[in-house]
Amino acid sequence: KLKSCNWRVLSISKRVYPQGMKLLPCLFLLAATLPAATVVNVACGGSTDSGFLGGARWTGAAIAGQAVPYNAMRSSSPVGAPFSYSFTLAPGKYTVTLQFIEPRADQTAGQRILGVAINGAAVITGLDLFTVAGALKPYTSASLPVTVAGALKIDVSATAGNAVISGIQVDDTTV
């Protein structure tokens, strides 16, 4: 089955004939840009929640009306304890996108400070969801590039309050 792709011309070589007769294209070098394939798409705490170790499913009326994956989450349990997600992937290059929501309407700045490590390397530190997005508003991290040798481990922790995460998307960017 063929995937859709975008073609772009990388170079065109033109030959000029004597006496300015014609310009004829001699070579077209084309390259395809394939879209990244999503290999992991988890609504943390929701119906597709898988690959987790620790934490607890968290749902509540405050986020019930949000779109998936922001209508459920996984949070620290017990309070402040870290938790993780682990996925077995083929060796290659991936981008990881993490989705969050501050679930408490009464939260204020500094009450929940998160950190995330991927395969042991800190990729997010000092994330205060209330400060960057506000209460009950979705926040999506930048796409984080990672190279995987077989396992992808995402550790979520908090230096204040409970750690929370709503969604994980992993796209295969290996070409």
Side-chain angles (χ1 to χ4, degrees), residues 69-146:
Y70 303 105
N71 62 347
M73 66 182 55
R74 183 152 296 277
S75 68
S76 299
S77 180
V79 173
F83 58 92
S84 63
Y85 280 82
S86 185
F87 307 100
T88 301
L89 302 174
K93 295 182 182 198
Y94 298 86
T95 57
V96 177
T97 304
L98 305 173
Q99 299 155 318
F100 304 91
I101 191 168
E102 172 49 61
R104 296 186 49 149
D106 61 348
Q107 194 79 348
T108 60
Q111 289 184 304
R112 184 185 320 277
I113 309 293
L114 308 177
V116 177
I118 296 179
N119 288 345
V123 294
I124 296 175
T125 59
L127 174 61
D128 183 338
L129 292 173
F130 182 83
T131 299
V132 298
L136 306 175
K137 293 187 176 140
Y139 173 76
T140 301
S141 72
S143 294
L144 307 162
V146 297

Side-chain angles (χ1 to χ4, degrees), residues 1-7 32-35 37:
K1 184 176 177 181
L2 294 175
K3 292 182 178 180
S4 64
C5 61
N6 298 317
W7 290 94
T33 305
L34 295 173

